[in-house]
Amino acid sequence: AQPAADPMRDEIIVYTQKREQSVQDVPIAVTAYSEEQLKRLGVQQFDELADYVPGLEVQEQSPNNPGFVIRGITSDSGAANIEPRVSVFQDGVSVSRSRGSFVELFDASVEVAKGPQSTLFGRSALIGAINIIQNKPTYELGAELRAGYGNYDHQLVDGFINVPLVQDVAAFRGAIRYKKRDGY
């Protein structure tokens, strides 16, 4: 989900149907947040995202095992032989198995499509789909670095660098996040 280039328009662009479209032209229920919106809200993980997406609940069953609930229907089985009912995609690659779908929402935008999405996201999307779109390299030089410290020795350092290699041909973008927090 990315705001349009013209700041006077409130158009949000989504990729839910595998192509760039205005959210108003997509005939399914989609909630989309850009990277800037996620930063402003302080959202870094799926359970925090659920506070801002109607009909989405994320149950943190263990550090690497989120259970997704969309519109009251759960998909919390982590068994290898059970197909998940909520698809999670990161840049077009399925990370739907609950043991592998723990993703930091950093340097990315997020789209949550509610309702059956099997046509677009495969048979695992009977309840809905979560689409994470990592920021792509641009042809402009840029960088950002953030650091934070909090209670229980919480440490956070993240940032990105974007470097144009060959004008309008090739560019590089690297992003990193380090998080650590002691227990009680």
Side-chain angles (χ1 to χ4, degrees):
Q2 299 185 1
D6 182 3
M8 301 308 279
R9 296 174 57 198
D10 290 330
E11 183 177 36
I12 296 175
I13 304 299
V14 295
Y15 302 90
T16 308
Q17 292 190 305
K18 311 291 186 192
R19 62 183 182 268
E20 188 176 303
Q21 290 179 285
S22 169
V23 73
Q24 295 175 345
D25 297 334
V26 177
I28 53 181
V30 178
T31 302
Y33 288 101
S34 67
E35 177 196 12
E36 292 80 24
Q37 292 170 318
L38 293 173
K39 266 192 216 177
R40 192 172 52 248
L41 295 171
V43 173
Q44 297 179 6
Q45 300 179 141
F46 283 129
D47 61 335
E48 297 166 340
L49 178 67
D51 293 339
Y52 300 99
V53 177
L56 174 68
E57 180 66 35
V58 179
Q59 303 164 341
E60 291 291 333
Q61 299 169 355
S62 69
N64 294 329
N65 189 16
F68 298 100
V69 180
I70 293 182
R71 293 182 173 171
I73 304 171
T74 187
S75 173
D76 60 359
S77 175
N81 62 340
I82 305 253
E83 191 76 29
R85 291 176 275 174
V86 174
S87 284
V88 180
F89 278 79
Q90 185 170 9
D91 286 331
V93 177
S94 175
V95 291
S96 296
R97 295 292 178 193
S98 65
R99 303 277 192 277
S101 60
F102 182 80
V103 178
E104 285 281 329
L105 301 178
F106 165 65
D107 201 40
S109 56
V110 178
E111 302 169 354
V112 178
K114 299 170 206 113
Q117 302 299 325
S118 299
T119 304
L120 295 169
F121 293 100
R123 67 181 184 184
S124 295
L126 292 174
I127 299 172
I130 300 172
N131 192 19
I132 304 160
I133 302 107
Q134 295 298 139
N135 288 339
K136 307 297 183 257
T138 62
Y139 300 117
E140 296 177 13
L141 182 64
E144 179 179 294
L145 181 65
R146 294 185 323 159
Y149 185 82
N151 62 352
Y152 299 105
D153 198 31
H154 180 254
Q155 302 167 22
L156 171 70
V157 177
D158 64 25
F160 74 88
I161 185 165
N162 194 83
V163 180
L165 300 175
V166 179
Q167 188 62 31
D168 295 336
V169 176
F172 168 81
R173 183 181 187 95
I176 188 167
R177 169 172 276 171
Y178 170 80
K179 277 174 58 172
K180 176 187 172 283
R181 186 174 194 176
D182 290 342
Y184 296 103

